[in-house]
Amino acid sequence: MVDDDSHISELPLAPPAGHRDPPSTERGARTRAALIASARVVFERDGYLDARLVDIAKEAGCATGSFYTYFANKEEVFAAVLEVAREEMMHPGMGRVAGTDDPYAVLEASNRAYLAAYQRNAKLMGLMEQVASIDPEFRRIRNERANAFILRNARGIAELQERGVGDPGLNPLLTSIALSGMVSRFAYSVFTLGEGQLGDTVLEFDEVVAAVTDLWANALKFPERD
C-alpha cells in the first residue's frame, strides 16, 4: 500500500558478517557460498546451539581452517545464512491497493506470498526465534524489521480507511500490530511447530491462506464481496 518499499529490503536481517570484503577470487567466492549453504544444512539439522564449525566445514568439503578465512565464528556464518535467505524471509506486506483494485484479492496474494516463503524457510525461521531469544543483537534487528512491516501495513490500513474500505474506527497502528503479529505467530505455529496437525487432519495450504485472509478482511470490516 505504500509507493516504495525498497527501504525495507535494505534493512539487515542479521548483523553483518564481520564487515569483511568479499572474496577476491572466483574460487574464494565459491568456497564462501559453499560454507553458507552447508551452514544452513547443519543449523537446520542440529539446531543453532549444537551446530559445530567443524561439521559446517566438513559439509562444505573443506578444511576447518578454511572456515576462518571467511567467518570468525558461528554468529557470523549464521548472519550470512540469514542474509542469503533475506528476500525469502521478508514479509511482502499488503502492497499498494489502487482505486480499481479488489482489496481482498491484493490481501490474499500478499498473504499467499508470505506464507509460502515462511513454509519454505520454516526451520530457519524457528532458528531465528531461538537465536533471538538468547542474543540481544539478533533480537534487536529482528524487531526492527518487524516494526518496519508493521508501519507499512499501518499506512496501508489508513489508506483503506480513506477509501471507505476499512473500518474508520480502528487505530491503524494498533490494528497492524495485532494482525501482523497474528499472521506471523500463526505461520510459526503451523509451519515451524507443526501445531494443528491433529490425528488425520491435514492443513491444506490454500485453506491456511484463506483463513488468514478472512481474519484480516473481517477485522478491517471489508465490504461484502459480489
Side-chain angles (χ1 to χ4, degrees), residues 98-121:
T100 57
D101 288 340
D102 176 358
Y104 189 95
V106 173
L107 178 59
E108 182 180 42
S110 298
N111 282 329
R112 182 177 297 278
Y114 171 63
L115 292 168
Y118 204 113
Q119 186 178 42
R120 287 192 297 270
N121 292 279

Side-chain angles (χ1 to χ4, degrees), residues 133-183:
S133 71
I134 59 176
D135 189 310
E137 181 63 13
F138 278 94
R139 182 165 60 251
R140 179 186 66 79
I141 293 176
R142 183 200 63 178
N143 290 346
E144 285 182 356
R145 288 183 63 83
N147 286 339
F149 293 123
I150 285 170
L151 290 174
R152 180 172 67 175
N153 284 339
R155 290 193 295 270
I157 291 170
E159 288 186 9
L160 286 173
Q161 291 172 320
E162 291 172 2
R163 284 182 50 197
V165 177
D167 181 357
L170 294 174
N171 179 305
L173 179 59
L174 292 179
T175 302
S176 178
I177 292 172
L179 292 177
S180 299
M182 177 271 293
V183 175

Side-chain angles (χ1 to χ4, degrees), residues 14-156:
H19 302 285
R20 301 186 182 201
D21 293 331
S24 59
T25 66
E26 184 178 341
R27 180 179 179 182
R30 288 199 305 268
T31 301
R32 185 178 185 277
L35 284 166
I36 293 172
S38 298
R40 175 163 180 165
V41 171
V42 173
F43 283 132
E44 291 185 339
R45 184 188 68 207
D46 301 337
Y48 179 78
L49 295 178
D50 293 331
R52 303 189 306 164
L53 301 186
V54 63
D55 292 332
I56 293 173
K58 181 179 179 181
E59 182 74 24
C62 64
T64 304
S66 298
F67 176 92
Y68 294 102
T69 301
Y70 305 96
F71 306 103
N73 49 40
K74 183 160 61 175
E75 290 79 7
E76 283 191 7
V77 73
F78 185 64
V81 169
L82 293 179
E83 186 66 20
V84 170
R86 176 181 60 186
E87 294 303 320
E88 283 272 30
M89 298 177 69
M90 235 178 53
H91 192 318
M94 287 180 62
R96 186 172 183 85
V97 181
T100 57
D101 288 340
D102 176 358
Y104 189 95
V106 173
L107 178 59
E108 182 180 42
S110 298
N111 282 329
R112 182 177 297 278
Y114 171 63
L115 292 168
Y118 204 113
Q119 186 178 42
R120 287 192 297 270
N121 292 279
K123 288 185 178 180
L124 196 58
M125 294 297 282
L127 286 173
M128 183 63 192
E129 291 296 319
Q130 178 188 11
V131 177
S133 71
I134 59 176
D135 189 310
E137 181 63 13
F138 278 94
R139 182 165 60 251
R140 179 186 66 79
I141 293 176
R142 183 200 63 178
N143 290 346
E144 285 182 356
R145 288 183 63 83
N147 286 339
F149 293 123
I150 285 170
L151 290 174
R152 180 172 67 175
N153 284 339
R155 290 193 295 270

